[in-house]
Amino acid sequence: MTIREMRVSLGNTQGEFAARYNIPFRTIQNWEAGVRKPPEYMMDLLESRVRADLVNRRTAALPMYDPDKPDLPKRRDHVGAMAWLKAVREQLGESVVFALDEALMCQGYFGGRSDEYLVWVYGDDALARYNGVVVLGNQVSPRSIRERCGLLYTDFSRTLADALANEALLDMQGTTEALSKYYYRNGESFDGLAVAPEYQARFDRLAEEAIDHYES
């Protein structure tokens, strides 16, 4: 794909595309106009990122309850987050990868809520036939997947990236609490976390909130 084809496929303006991948706006303009040619390694890297973003789409809206859809097991009917997630996994299938709050529960960074309704996952679109299931994307890199007690879930860096990408839709309580625990367990440091350049400013703000949560 050309730079313009990548940008148009995402539905981005030149400014949005530049901000998404932390590339100067003028550079995007020059590349598209043919004034300058991007290095081949940059084209390969950008195309890989764009294809991943196309598959793992940003969620536009949260699902409403539909009485015609089957329900998932209720969180309040299970003792502990892991027991509930195992029951959910049994209904959704073994290949489902938990994301966001559910991934944080698997990691032990967030206990969840007794009235938990939404379940964020990577998997087939058909999973959305259940009430409360939000399919964040159809696939995720195996390098970002971890396993615990038979459950598949995204690692902390990927979970954090997904939270920042969908921040407008989320209750960020779970992410803030999890980041605070990470800070505490990691010797009061955020070392080891990988944050994409386009999310750095938002991460810095969230990190401050997490430290305040830890110190309160």
Side-chain angles (χ1 to χ4, degrees):
M1 290 191 286
T2 65
I3 294 296
R4 186 178 187 281
E5 287 172 338
M6 294 181 202
R7 176 176 64 78
V8 171
S9 68
L10 290 165
N12 285 167
T13 64
Q14 288 183 332
E16 290 169 339
F17 189 84
R20 179 191 286 265
Y21 299 114
N22 199 36
I23 300 171
F25 175 69
R26 181 67 67 181
T27 299
I28 297 297
Q29 283 187 316
N30 288 339
W31 284 350
E32 288 199 14
V35 176
R36 293 180 181 170
K37 185 177 180 181
E40 187 173 343
Y41 79 88
M42 176 65 73
M43 287 291 291
D44 291 341
L45 177 62
L46 265 179
E47 185 166 349
S48 175
R49 290 286 302 277
V50 168
R51 290 190 185 280
D53 282 349
L54 285 171
V55 171
N56 299 322
R57 60 192 179 281
R58 303 292 182 255
T59 302
L62 298 180
M64 302 294 289
Y65 184 82
D66 184 344
D68 293 327
K69 288 184 176 182
D71 294 333
L72 291 176
K74 291 180 172 57
R75 172 69 175 85
R76 63 175 178 267
D77 294 336
H78 295 79
V79 178
M82 296 300 286
W84 173 60
L85 289 175
K86 286 181 179 180
V88 171
R89 192 279 314 275
E90 287 178 8
Q91 191 156 345
L92 296 182
E94 292 185 1
S95 61
V96 67
V97 178
F98 289 111
L100 294 175
D101 281 0
E102 285 65 48
L104 295 176
M105 294 178 203
C106 291
Q107 296 159 16
Y109 284 117
F110 182 53
R113 308 168 183 85
S114 61
D115 61 346
E116 204 81 46
Y117 169 66
L118 293 178
V119 175
W120 299 81
V121 302
Y122 281 97
D124 192 272
D125 285 336
L127 296 174
R129 70 182 181 275
Y130 292 99
N131 271 313
V133 174
V134 185
V135 181
L136 194 60
N138 298 131
Q139 58 183 259
V140 63
S141 170
R143 290 175 296 183
S144 297
I145 297 175
R146 300 292 182 268
E147 182 176 356
R148 179 187 174 196
C149 300
L151 301 177
L152 301 178
Y153 58 94
T154 55
D155 66 17
F156 195 84
S157 288
R158 181 57 190 248
T159 305
L160 181 60
D162 286 339
L164 294 171
N166 294 279
E167 187 174 5
L169 294 172
L170 296 176
D171 172 357
M172 295 292 283
Q173 174 192 343
T175 305
T176 303
E177 181 180 320
L179 194 58
S180 179
K181 288 184 178 179
Y182 182 96
Y183 178 77
Y184 168 73
R185 294 177 184 178
N186 202 44
E188 298 188 359
S189 168
F190 295 115
D191 289 349
L193 293 180
V195 180
E198 62 264 34
Y199 301 133
Q200 187 64 53
R202 278 180 279 177
F203 171 76
D204 291 342
R205 185 187 70 244
L206 185 64
E208 290 182 6
E209 295 174 2
I211 292 173
D212 288 343
H213 180 83
Y214 164 68
E215 292 178 344
S216 61

